[in-house]
Amino acid sequence: MIWLDVLVQGILLGGLYALFAAGLSLVFGIMRLVNLAHGDLIVFAAFAILLITATLGLNPFLAALIAAPLMFAAGWALQRFVLNRVLGKDILPPLLVTFGLSVALQNGMLEVFSADSQRLSVGALESASIDLGPVTVGTLPLLTFASAVAAIFLLNRIFYSTALGRAFRAVSDDPTTASLMGLNPKSVFAIATGLAMVIVTVAALYLGMRSNFDPSIGPARLLYAFQAVIIGGLGSLWGTLAGGAIIGVAQTFGAQINPEWQILAGHIAFLIVLLIRPRGLFPRAVD
């Protein structure tokens, strides 16, 4: 029963990592952009929710509803006026720009919010649990995993069943031909990044409710997101969920054996998957 509980807790933890990774996977799948500031944007969104909560006295869930459109606008502007200028066949300029953005965000948050750890308080929900017979699971981890599944399901529906999704696929496959058909690739890319920032807001909400956060933790969240994306297969959203679950299970098993091995176990699982499937579990064809 102990190991079954460890397995379940690991899968639920994987839901949080999938939320970290979903926006990164969406942006890469559409425009082949690797955003090195992704982890810091998650932390920025967490601080935005915290600020709204403290200012308006709202529940973090309601604060996230206010923060989501603000983050969409920030993501749209970032892509439209900054990242679109450096997109091209050379991947180095976007990496340098997003690296610079990461450094700027970390230092900006440090100046505004200080280095103190913060947390989003949700009262009794933090310790609530559900008895499922053989195991007992926390309500918040279960809600996190359910939100990850819902977010990835909605992103897939948007991507494959809407006019916006057709636009995403068109500019991803051939921006030049798409522009000849009346689409503006730069505007479509901006919408994609804005949508990714909405998912970032959801990830930030659960990050802030489940653990402490401070301006310095962004790179670690980026690392977990990268590992989940690469394990799942670059550009595969459902693969991202599987990748997150694998990282989460590996970490909880490692922690059960020795608490010092938690993070190391996740990295080892990442390497093992890459040795077996170098392109990930569910790779999409990329140019």
Side-chain angles (χ1 to χ4, degrees), residues 85 93 103 129 132 190 276:
R85 297 176 181 271
V103 173
S129 61
L132 299 180
I276 299 172

Side-chain angles (χ1 to χ4, degrees), residues 106-193:
Q106 285 186 49
N107 284 275
M109 289 186 291
L110 188 63
E111 287 293 326
V112 175
F113 300 106
S114 81
D116 295 339
S117 293
Q118 305 289 344
R119 191 182 182 101
L120 297 173
S121 177
V122 285
L125 183 59
E126 295 178 8
S127 57
S129 61
I130 300 174
D131 187 359
L132 299 180
V135 296
T136 299
V137 299
T139 302
L140 190 54
L142 190 61
L143 189 58
T144 305
F145 186 83
S147 297
V149 172
I152 291 175
F153 174 78
L154 289 174
L155 285 177
N156 269 279
R157 292 291 295 175
I158 291 171
F159 202 74
Y160 293 109
S161 303
T162 67
L164 178 60
R166 289 192 291 274
F168 285 159
R169 299 198 305 275
V171 298
S172 175
D173 292 340
D174 192 338
T176 302
T177 302
S179 63
L180 293 175
M181 299 302 292
L183 292 175
N184 184 339
K186 291 184 177 181
S187 294
V188 175
F189 289 158
I191 293 172
T193 301

Side-chain angles (χ1 to χ4, degrees), residues 13 16-21 24 35-43 102 106 109 207 211-229 247 251 263 266-267:
L13 176 61
L16 180 62
Y17 293 159
L19 283 174
F20 290 163
L24 191 70
N35 184 358
L36 295 182
H38 186 79
D40 299 290
L41 287 167
I42 294 173
V43 179
S102 171
Q106 285 186 49
M109 289 186 291
L207 169 66
S211 63
N212 291 349
F213 60 93
D214 62 70
S216 68
I217 69 167
R221 307 317 106 176
L222 174 67
L223 179 60
Y224 299 148
F226 264 135
Q227 289 180 337
V229 169
I247 296 296
Q251 287 188 356
I263 305 302
H267 298 331

Side-chain angles (χ1 to χ4, degrees), residues 3 6 247-266:
W3 292 108
V6 169
I247 296 296
V249 169
Q251 287 188 356
T252 54
F253 269 81
Q256 181 65 28
I257 297 171
N258 186 329
E260 296 180 355
W261 295 358
Q262 178 177 355
I263 305 302
L264 176 62

Side-chain angles (χ1 to χ4, degrees), residues 63-85:
L65 289 178
I66 297 175
L70 298 178
M71 289 298 295
F72 177 92
W76 186 94
L78 173 65
Q79 184 68 44
R80 190 69 177 84
F81 300 114
V82 179
L83 297 180
N84 277 339
R85 297 176 181 271

